[in-house]
Amino acid sequence: MKQTRITYDWTADTIYTIVWTLIFMTVFEMVLKATINPDDSLGKRLLFIYLLTVPLTAIFVGLRPVLSLFTFPDTLFLNDIGQLTLRNGDIIKLDNIKSLEINQVGFGQGHLLYYELTFFEKPISWNNRKRSSLILTERYNIKYIFQTRTDFLDKLIDLGLSEKAIQWKPEKTKHLFGIRDRFKK
C-alpha cells in the first residue's frame, strides 16, 4: 500500500532544506565567480560558503517547527485508500477526532501554524506516550517559505472531517513573540 507524507517530518524536511541550500549556494557562487573574478578557482570559496550556510539553514529553516514548539511534531501519512496513518502504522479514523485546534506562533507572512489533534479514544499503542494528542505542522516546501500554508487542513476537510471539530485558537501577544500555548495532556 502506497503512503504519502502530508505533514512535517524533521529528518526528511531538514535534508530537503540542506539539498536546496547546496543548490542555491552553488548557483550563487557560480554567478558571483562569473561576474567578479572569472579566473579564480571555485573550490575553497564554495567550501567556505557551504560550511557557513548549510548548518545555519538546516537549524533555523529546516528545524524551525522543532525550535518553535520545543518538541518533534508527529508525522501523518495518507495511504492510497484515503486513510490517515502514523509512522508506526496506527490508523487515524476521522470519526474518532474530537477536535483539531489551529494555533499560530510568530508573526509575518511566514508564521508557523501548528495543529493539535485530539481524540475521543486514544489508540492502545499510545499508552506510553506523554500526550494523547498529535502535534502536527505543515509539510515544508522551499517555494512557500514566506507564505502560511493550510494544505493539511484542506486535506482533512476533503477527507470528510467535520467543520465543527476545527477550532482556530485566538491569537495573543505572546504568540507573536514565538511563545506557544501548553499542549494538552
Side-chain angles (χ1 to χ4, degrees):
M1 194 178 299
K2 184 181 174 194
Q3 292 188 341
T4 306
R5 182 172 56 92
I6 59 172
T7 60
Y8 175 83
D9 178 32
W10 73 273
T11 53
D13 289 336
T14 303
I15 291 169
Y16 176 84
T17 304
I18 290 170
V19 168
W20 277 104
T21 301
L22 292 173
I23 292 169
F24 285 146
M25 289 298 112
T26 303
V27 170
F28 173 74
E29 177 58 27
M30 292 173 77
V31 168
L32 197 63
K33 179 185 178 300
T35 56
I36 294 178
N37 192 1
D39 297 332
D40 195 16
S41 70
L42 207 66
K44 289 182 181 179
R45 234 183 11 224
L46 193 57
L47 181 63
F48 175 73
I49 289 173
Y50 286 162
L51 290 175
L52 181 68
T53 59
V54 168
L56 290 175
T57 58
I59 292 169
F60 294 110
V61 177
L63 291 174
R64 179 179 175 218
V66 175
L67 294 175
S68 295
L69 301 175
F70 294 109
T71 189
F72 290 100
D74 298 298
T75 304
L76 276 182
F77 297 90
L78 182 66
N79 61 22
D80 52 355
I81 58 173
Q83 291 178 324
L84 295 172
T85 60
L86 291 171
R87 185 180 308 277
N88 64 2
D90 286 345
I91 296 174
I92 305 295
K93 296 181 180 176
L94 291 177
D95 57 352
N96 190 28
I97 296 176
K98 182 178 183 179
S99 68
L100 175 69
E101 290 183 2
I102 305 167
N103 301 285
Q104 175 181 333
V105 175
F107 63 93
Q109 286 182 317
H111 65 272
L112 177 69
L113 285 181
Y114 71 93
Y115 307 96
E116 189 166 5
L117 198 62
T118 56
F119 303 96
F120 290 111
E121 296 178 22
K122 71 178 188 175
I124 297 169
S125 64
W126 291 12
N127 288 339
N128 296 332
R129 284 179 58 124
K130 281 184 181 179
R131 292 185 316 266
S132 61
S133 63
L134 294 177
I135 304 300
L136 307 162
T137 60
E138 291 289 335
R139 192 175 168 176
Y140 183 74
N141 192 332
I142 196 92
K143 293 188 300 189
Y144 308 116
I145 192 167
F146 297 114
Q147 294 178 1
T148 302
R149 308 286 296 172
T150 58
D151 296 336
F152 174 69
L153 180 61
D154 297 338
K155 182 78 66 181
L156 286 181
I157 291 171
D158 290 344
L159 289 173
L161 180 67
S162 169
E163 293 195 20
K164 294 176 187 176
I166 300 171
Q167 302 168 358
W168 286 84
K169 294 288 278 198
E171 184 180 337
K172 298 177 184 171
T173 307
K174 71 177 186 177
H175 300 141
L176 296 176
F177 293 112
I179 301 170
R180 64 163 172 80
D181 290 329
R182 288 187 167 263
F183 300 130
K184 293 179 181 170
K185 294 278 180 183

